Amino acid sequence: MAKLILSLEGSVIREIPLDKERITIGRRPQNDIQIENLAVSGEHACVVTILNDSFLEDLGSTNGTLVNGNPIKKHILQNNDVVEIGKYKMKYVVEAAAAGQVPQDDFERTMVMKSSPGKPLAPKPAVAPTSPPTVAPRPPAAAVSAPTSPPRPAAPAAAAQKPAAAEAQPLAALQLLTGPNAGKEIELVKNLTTLGKPGVQVAVITRRPQGYFITHVEGAIFPVLNGKAIDAQARQLNDHDVIELAGVKMEFFLKR
């Protein structure tokens, strides 16, 4: 899990785990991270965390938000990034990297490899040869009728269960329905796909073990799903859902 380490003039004030999908930062008490300082706007910025990725967005603050000394509107946080809001600093730390787990920048590549169409099929041939030996000792009881028939039903049954697990997360794509690129398909092969126009409206589609989810990241107007605007929480996508984002309609579909 990632966290923010809040400090002022080199003194650590508190550590904030990014255990919520959306964490707000500002001067008002309703913020998740309240900073009582006049240089900080009432609703200054927010951090959206999806799986192992965190996005920092400035919410139109008066004095702006800096990351590593540079002003940002929207920024994908990397391990050890330093966020500056007024005189306060927040260091973004990914604990998984410190613990020797898969680094954040390698996480997406790992997921792509595991979820690519060719990879799930590789283990199955190894499983199929091992199933006949478990059935082989049974011929004495069934030798009179049909020695080969018992193994054959068992092998398809085992094979049928394996593809079912692989198909739990089928490859999906988006087909653009409007705009200059109407008809174009975008395959969702990556763990996280960013869509929209920076500064206008941005959303991300994440590929999780439970399926595909869309989350609003940037912009005052939320994306529309099947004619209804979504909220700040992730929304699971179903086959043939229609998304409206940054003035473009697109259809989400599963590739069989």
Side-chain angles (χ1 to χ4, degrees):
M1 181 187 297
K3 63 182 178 181
L4 293 173
I5 302 175
L6 177 64
S7 64
L8 176 63
E9 297 178 351
S11 299
V12 175
I13 299 173
R14 58 182 287 209
E15 294 187 3
I16 305 100
L18 299 180
D19 53 2
K20 292 172 58 178
E21 196 161 89
R22 191 172 191 268
I23 289 180
T24 57
I25 306 164
R27 194 175 68 252
R28 293 176 184 168
Q30 66 264 31
N31 288 286
D32 299 293
I33 304 175
Q34 184 187 12
I35 302 177
E36 297 183 22
N37 187 280
L38 293 177
V40 180
S41 298
E43 294 179 356
H44 196 104
C46 72
V47 177
V48 176
T49 300
I50 303 169
L51 296 177
N52 279 23
D53 295 285
S54 294
F55 299 81
L56 173 68
E57 179 186 358
D58 183 90
L59 299 177
S61 64
T62 302
N63 296 313
T65 303
L66 304 180
V67 175
N68 302 327
N70 300 312
I72 60 96
K73 291 295 182 185
K74 174 181 162 252
H75 176 78
I76 299 178
L77 291 167
Q78 303 294 327
N79 193 34
N80 293 324
D81 274 354
V82 176
V83 180
E84 296 180 55
I85 296 180
K87 293 183 179 180
Y88 290 79
K89 292 184 179 182
M90 287 181 287
K91 186 175 183 180
Y92 176 76
V93 177
V94 182
E95 294 178 327
Q101 299 176 13
V102 178
Q104 185 177 12
D105 55 352
D106 290 337
F107 181 80
E108 180 173 318
R109 288 194 292 272
T110 303
M111 289 300 294
V112 170
M113 290 172 62
K114 289 184 178 178
S115 60
S116 61
K119 292 293 179 182
L121 299 177
K124 289 171 194 149
V127 175
T130 58
S131 55
T134 59
V135 185
R138 299 179 186 172
V144 178
S145 53
T148 56
S149 57
R152 287 178 182 172
Q161 294 175 0
K162 295 293 181 179
E167 291 172 5
Q169 193 188 39
L171 182 65
L174 294 171
Q175 183 173 29
L176 304 183
L177 304 178
T178 61
N181 295 315
K184 180 181 178 181
E185 286 188 9
I186 302 172
E187 288 193 343
L188 303 175
V189 296
K190 296 194 293 184
N191 178 47
L192 186 146
T193 303
T194 304
L195 302 167
K197 295 180 181 178
V200 178
Q201 193 178 39
V202 177
V204 293
I205 293 180
T206 54
R207 189 180 189 186
R208 308 182 185 180
Q210 302 87 350
Y212 291 82
F213 291 77
I214 183 170
T215 306
H216 175 72
V217 173
E218 179 183 358
I221 301 175
F222 287 84
V224 174
L225 181 63
N226 299 326
K228 295 182 179 180
I230 66 174
D231 52 24
Q233 301 301 315
R235 187 72 63 89
Q236 187 166 11
L237 293 171
N238 297 310
D239 198 16
H240 301 300
D241 276 351
V242 176
I243 303 165
E244 296 180 49
L245 178 68
V248 177
K249 281 188 178 182
M250 58 196 81
E251 181 183 358
F252 170 87
F253 65 95
L254 300 174
K255 304 192 85 170
R256 305 300 180 184

